[in-house]
Each structure stands twice: as structure tokens, then as C-alpha cells.
Amino acid sequence: MEIEAPELVELVQDPDADVRRGAVWALRTFSPDVVLPLLRDARRTGRGRARRHALTALLAVGGPDALDNRDRAVIRRLIRFKIPAEVPAPMHLCGSWFALPTGDQAAVLDAFGLGAPEPVTMRLGGRVWNHDHHERGLPGAEHQGCSRVYVSPVLNGWTLVFGAPSADHHRIGPGGDDAYEERLRDTMLARTAALSLRFGTVHWYGTGCGDGWTAWIVAANGEIQRYYDAFDPDDQIGRPEPAEEGLLLPHEHALPDGAVCDARTVAAQASVDPGALGPHTRVEGHGVLALTACGREHGHPRGVLEI
């Protein structure tokens, strides 16, 4: 027997977490135009935990854009309260990020064509980046990986930009996956070089959490100084970075642990390693989530994340 949307909304408020989780996933298969009014009503009329569960479902089905002004204000206040006391923690790294030696957040947002920045905790920013990257293949998530970017606070003098502007992730143009990867590589090289004209030295890093991929680009004054991709080692550019000295590159013969260079190795010496953040990390300002051109057209992706 098929369960209708109103019945699922009731199950969203169930005391059992597994029941709630299943109801939320089922609601995501319905049209948001049908589901969101029901969830908003449950949010207004519910009590205690039921109201919180309805808020969670609203975010899962419609994303932040589904919230009314009152709920947005509640979440913003909570974020503002948590930012000053937050202690940096290691990030789970899977995807790509830029490192820029600047504390001028407005200049970074302008350089990447980002808009509608919202302050976030470091924890929330990192989880959004991983969430958007890993949910791209789900139904209704066509723009999951290209709508928003996490711009970190200044970490040891560097601003990190996690993700990429929407055009970098759209599979536009002729050819299959190989042609797309080549275009993406060329785009990243050109973007890093162009950014270095504005910020002096710019780094780009990439790493996979399960396939062994690792890559890095270093550009200065408009020129690519170094490019390496473990999946494309024949096309590397420039001399090894100081962080690479004495180590083998991933495509070379393996040696005992600690003898192979990767993106984190380079980042740790050349800028900052987000996988090694901690109480020792110097933090200035706060991070933001900002929308790309794609995000400004389609809105924030759906999903619930811890603040």
C-alpha cells in the first residue's frame, strides 16, 4: 500500500530515528510543491521535538531556501553564537580546494564570482563541502556539486576555498569522460594562474577519499610553477616543490610508509593542511557559504547538516 505525503509527514515526527529517516527519504521523492506546505504546517503547529524534526525534514526536502524568515533567524543566531568558541578540527578531505595567501574575504568572493555569503562554523562549512560532493549522483541533485562553495576563515594566514565555481563542474562540450577531465584540468590550471595575478601565489589541491587520487597546482604571478596529478603523471609541469624533495610521487614505485608525497604533504609545507587543523591553528575571522552562479539560479542544495 502506497503511503501518502501527509502520512509521511506524521512519521517525520515519530520518536524513532530510523522511522523519521525513512520518512524523510520517501518525502524527497515527492514534488516539493506538495511536501513543503505540509512540513511548514507541522513546524508551526508541532511541539517540542516534533517541531525540531519538522525543521530537519524541511531542510532535507527543500534546503535552506525552504525555511521561513523566523527559522532562518534562529539558525543564524545559533551560528553566530558558536563561531567565537569553535576550535579548529581536522577536516575529512575528499575533493578539491584552493589556498590563497590573503585575509581579504571580499576579494576572494569577488575573484570566484560568488554571492549571498552566509557565515558558518568551520564544522558546518566542511560538512557542506563533503555533503555536496558526495550526493551529486542522487536523483534531483543535478546541481548538488556546483551550487555553493565553502570559504574558510583565515587559517595561518591562508584562506581556503572548497569546491569550484559551477562552470568547472558542468560536463559541457563534446566527448566523454576523458574529454571532460581534460577540460577540467585546463580550467583549473588557467583559473589558478589567473588568481595568482591577483593574490601573488595560489595553490590548488585535490584528493580522493577512496581511489588514491591526489593532485596539486602551484601558480605565482600568472604562471604555473608546478602541476602534478597522480592519474595523469605524464603531463606534470615544473620542478618538484620543496615538500616533494626526498619523496616519491604516487605513480612511482612504492616505498615504506611516509615516503610518498601527496597533496596533503605539499599543503602542510607550502600553505596549510586542512586535514591537520587543530587548537594550534591560528584563526582569524569566520568562514562563509557562498553561492555560485549556478546556486543563485537554482538555490541551495537539499540536505541537513550539523552546525
Side-chain angles (χ1 to χ4, degrees), residues 18-273:
D18 289 336
V19 172
R20 295 196 303 270
R21 193 175 300 112
V24 167
W25 277 103
L27 284 171
R28 291 184 67 171
T29 66
F30 286 77
S31 167
D33 292 338
V34 172
V35 174
L36 292 178
L38 297 173
L39 289 172
R40 290 188 184 110
D41 184 64
R43 173 72 176 153
R44 286 193 302 269
T45 60
R47 294 184 178 181
R49 292 181 180 178
R51 279 176 48 80
R52 292 197 295 273
H53 298 331
L55 177 61
T56 297
L58 270 170
L59 288 165
V61 172
D65 297 330
L67 303 183
D68 61 23
N69 290 334
R70 183 177 179 181
D71 282 337
R72 288 194 188 98
V74 168
I75 292 175
R76 285 169 175 156
R77 283 198 301 271
L78 178 59
I79 289 172
R80 286 198 303 269
F81 174 78
K82 288 194 170 189
I83 283 175
E86 186 177 23
V87 177
M91 293 177 62
H92 173 71
L93 301 180
C94 184
S96 64
W97 69 96
F98 290 86
L100 302 93
T102 181
D104 190 341
Q105 189 177 86
V108 172
L109 294 172
D110 178 69
F112 282 88
L114 302 171
E118 284 280 352
V120 291
T121 60
M122 290 178 279
R123 180 186 190 187
L124 177 57
R127 294 197 174 191
V128 164
W129 174 55
N130 274 286
H131 170 269
D132 293 352
H133 177 72
H134 287 99
E135 280 210 5
R136 284 182 298 175
L138 295 179
E142 292 81 2
H143 299 280
Q144 189 84 27
C146 59
S147 291
R148 59 188 173 187
V149 165
Y150 167 46
V151 180
S152 78
V154 185
L155 305 170
N156 291 343
W158 292 79
T159 296
L160 309 184
V161 179
F162 293 88
S166 52
D168 296 346
H169 280 283
H170 286 168
R171 293 178 179 267
I172 298 172
D177 288 345
D178 289 343
Y180 164 72
E181 295 297 339
E182 184 176 348
R183 290 194 299 275
L184 183 60
R185 178 202 64 194
D186 292 343
T187 298
M188 289 303 178
L189 287 167
R191 185 179 299 281
T192 308
L195 288 167
S196 73
L197 285 172
R198 185 167 184 174
F199 297 100
T201 299
V202 172
H203 300 178
W204 173 88
Y205 302 101
T207 186
C209 59
D211 58 4
W213 176 62
T214 189
W216 54 93
I217 301 171
V218 177
N221 302 315
E223 299 289 336
I224 299 298
Q225 307 294 319
R226 179 63 168 146
Y227 163 65
Y228 174 81
D229 188 316
F231 288 178
D232 195 20
D234 292 338
D235 288 337
Q236 58 183 290
I237 298 171
R239 295 181 178 179
E241 286 290 297
E244 302 174 45
E245 292 181 5
L247 303 176
L248 292 179
L249 294 171
H251 73 282
E252 297 173 326
H253 296 294
L255 286 177
D257 290 345
V260 177
C261 183
D262 61 13
R264 287 189 59 188
T265 308
V266 178
Q269 290 198 33
S271 57
V272 59
D273 174 12

